[in-house]
Amino acid sequence: DQQVKQNSPSLSVQEGRISILNCDYTNSMFDYFLWYKKYPAEGPTFLISISSIKDKNEDGRFTVFLNKSAKHLSLHIVPSQPGDSAVYFCAASALEYGNKLVFGAGTILRVKS
Amino acid sequence: DAGVIQSPRHEVTEMGQEVTLRCKPISGHDYLFWYRQTMMRGLELLIYFNNNVPIDDSGMPEDRFSAKMPNASFSTLKIQPSEPRDSAVYFCASSPPRTGLHYEQYFGPGTRLTVT
């Protein structure tokens, strides 16, 4: 029973173009969402987050969009750089569930130079 | 400022042996999490502690797995006896309490376990 789904296992993008990574969730209790980035042989590192009271959060080249009615969020990277090549995990949290995070399976992003 | 520290980074053991993974959380964080990452199941939560007390161990796969947190700066995840299907990368993470305004967990580099 996957509550957080990343349906695209991989994505390939040309350097300088936009990367769009998608995430869907099923549990309407989720009220906080995060994106983590993971390089090989390293642990996931926090990238950007969004609260359910917002529909957009921007940090430099990274923007996360939240569509609560569709239970969908996306991460936009503009412009994409080769150093962005990594695995991106979507995660969700619900205040009622305490400090637990539920992770998606991840999407491998490859940025070609 | 040291992040989450895990040891060993790599562990290769034979089926049936006991394996102990170690974690030192970030100082001041009162939540500690153990995750397992596999190709089939992605990143799954095994157990988490708050103030050294286990809060939710529903993700622990079976009785062969156990975790302890004897003090605020140290936790172990033990597998006894180990089996080939336990081969995975095990991550430890820590966090301060979620306030509702902002929340993130900080991950260690992971321990890659191979059971032959």
Side-chain angles (χ1 to χ4, degrees), chain B residues 74-113:
Chain B
F74 184 65
S75 176
T76 59
L77 178 67
K78 186 175 293 186
I79 308 172
Q80 166 62 18
S82 58
E83 297 182 2
R85 60 191 168 121
D86 301 330
S87 297
V89 181
Y90 291 81
F91 290 103
C92 176
S94 70
S95 78
R98 177 181 159 168
T99 63
L101 299 176
H102 180 75
Y103 175 64
E104 62 176 284
Q105 294 178 9
Y106 298 80
F107 283 77
T111 295
R112 180 173 294 277
L113 173 65

Side-chain angles (χ1 to χ4, degrees), chain A residues 74-96:
Chain A
S74 60
L75 174 68
H76 292 212
I77 306 174
V78 183
S80 302
Q81 299 174 352
D84 297 329
S85 298
V87 180
Y88 289 78
F89 290 98
C90 170
S93 170
L95 199 56
E96 286 79 4

Side-chain angles (χ1 to χ4, degrees), chain A residues 31 36 41 46 93 99-100, chain B residues 9 56 98 103-105 108:
Chain A
D31 59 1
Y36 278 80
F46 171 74
S93 170
N99 280 41
K100 290 172 66 169
Chain B
R9 293 294 310 275
D56 184 344
R98 177 181 159 168
Y103 175 64
E104 62 176 284
Q105 294 178 9

Side-chain angles (χ1 to χ4, degrees), chain B residues 41-60:
Chain B
R41 300 176 67 86
L43 198 60
E44 54 179 340
L45 177 67
L46 301 177
I47 184 171
Y48 81 95
F49 296 82
N50 176 219
N51 292 322
N52 315 335
V53 177
I55 302 300
D56 184 344
D57 64 354
S58 60
M60 296 286 262

Side-chain angles (χ1 to χ4, degrees), chain B residues 4-16:
Chain B
V4 176
I5 298 172
Q6 290 187 248
S7 65
R9 293 294 310 275
H10 302 273
E11 177 79 38
V12 180
T13 190
E14 291 184 348
M15 182 174 63

